[in-house]
Amino acid sequence: QVQLVESGGGLVHPGGSLTLSCAASGFAMDGHAIAWFRRAPGKEREGVSCIANGIDNIDYGDSAKGRFTTSRDKAENKVYLQMNGLKPEDTGVYYCASATVIRGWCGFTQSVYDRWGKGTQVTVSS
């Protein structure tokens, strides 16, 4: 079965950290661009991070820059999102998605992503 499954969400205090995992089954993530998106309550889904296929081209959404780090583990067929310095406005459902695109592409155009996980909830609250 071809799917993406996110894990690692939870409740964390402001200033805390979480690491989200995106695991793929049925296909090799290394041949695809992988992105993290999130949907905050009452807001549209936005891009958080992306990592290109084949090369280490990485980009972050403005809200993630300087605080979040994405990485790929080819052996485990996973992509991670390390989130530090979490803020209440980081609360939302985090999704990973994969795109079958040219080598080196990384971006946040959602229509390009053809596989999506079901999401994992992140809540930042005191």
Side-chain angles (χ1 to χ4, degrees):
Q1 184 177 5
V2 176
Q3 62 178 359
L4 294 168
V5 179
E6 304 93 338
S7 62
L11 173 64
V12 63
H13 293 308
S17 299
L18 278 177
T19 299
L20 306 184
S21 298
C22 174
S25 59
F27 72 103
M29 298 178 91
D30 190 42
H32 298 77
I34 305 294
W36 287 95
F37 292 87
R38 72 182 182 195
R39 188 189 299 276
K43 295 186 177 181
E44 294 186 354
R45 191 163 57 189
E46 65 172 345
V48 177
S49 71
C50 64
I51 184 166
N53 83 70
I55 63 174
D56 288 335
N57 179 28
I58 294 173
D59 198 10
Y60 296 95
D62 289 341
S63 63
K65 289 177 180 176
R67 299 187 298 130
F68 295 2
T69 303
T70 193
S71 60
R72 187 193 293 270
D73 186 325
K74 297 177 184 179
E76 294 291 326
N77 207 25
K78 291 182 177 179
V79 169
Y80 299 97
L81 181 66
Q82 171 70 42
M83 304 187 294
N84 299 321
L86 284 163
K87 307 173 182 179
E89 52 264 43
D90 293 318
T91 294
V93 180
Y94 284 69
Y95 303 89
C96 70
S98 68
T100 307
V101 291
I102 60 173
R103 176 184 173 89
W105 184 86
C106 170
F108 298 123
T109 303
Q110 297 186 37
S111 60
V112 174
Y113 290 86
D114 49 17
R115 294 191 186 101
W116 292 78
K118 294 182 178 180
T120 185
Q121 175 70 44
V122 172
T123 302
V124 184
S125 175
S126 56

